[in-house]
Amino acid sequence: MLSNKKLVLSMTLALSLTLSACGTKEDKSIKSGSDDMIQTLTDLKSQVADNDESKAKESGEALEESWEKFEDSVKDKDADLYEKVETPLHIIEAGVKVSPLDADTLNEAADDLNDVLNEVKDLK
């Protein structure tokens, strides 16, 4: 009888630790993903200022790759915020493929995306 109680207690403890770790990991991925994208935006703005079309295109692709890693978590937590990320991100993705680069459009979209990502990384 005592052994069954220990087994149930052990299983309950293990399950609660597993579930609590899942929530923590997701929050960390949103924060770290947002931070990565913010750094890429800083690089992109520098590349646009230098008119480096090749590197700007790489940064645009890197933004999308970073976003793909945690966008579903953001969408599940706040669909409106998810949409606020998508708009400037798509402008950047399209804008880095245009030659010559439209610095005003890219910088405005980068600033907008940066602002939204600062909101995203605070999601709980």
Side-chain angles (χ1 to χ4, degrees), residues 1-115:
M1 178 90 167
L2 186 58
S3 136
N4 284 341
K5 286 183 181 180
K6 286 183 180 180
L7 179 62
V8 170
L9 182 61
S10 296
M11 289 174 58
T12 304
L13 181 60
L15 180 61
S16 67
L17 289 173
T18 301
L19 292 176
S20 68
C22 289
T24 304
K25 182 178 179 190
E26 185 174 81
D27 292 343
K28 286 181 182 176
S29 73
I30 290 175
K31 182 179 178 349
S32 67
S34 297
D35 287 339
D36 289 346
M37 289 180 73
I38 289 169
Q39 181 57 54
T40 302
L41 286 170
T42 301
D43 297 342
L44 174 69
K45 289 186 77 161
S46 175
Q47 294 154 356
V48 168
D50 293 342
N51 201 31
D52 190 337
E53 293 178 13
S54 173
K55 293 237 186 224
K57 185 175 181 181
E58 289 175 17
S59 289
E61 292 168 359
L63 284 170
E64 179 58 32
E65 290 170 10
S66 293
W67 178 234
E68 287 174 353
K69 294 175 185 173
F70 69 100
E71 70 179 309
D72 289 338
S73 296
V74 173
K75 191 175 192 177
D76 290 342
K77 290 178 182 268
D78 190 329
D80 291 336
L81 203 51
Y82 168 84
E83 289 298 326
K84 285 174 67 175
V85 170
E86 288 284 310
T87 301
L89 180 60
H90 289 165
I91 292 170
I92 292 168
E93 288 177 305
V96 295
K97 296 176 183 172
V98 175
S99 182
L101 296 174
D102 182 342
D104 291 339
T105 299
L106 286 169
N107 283 321
E108 183 178 338
D111 290 342
D112 291 346
L113 183 55
N114 189 70
D115 291 346

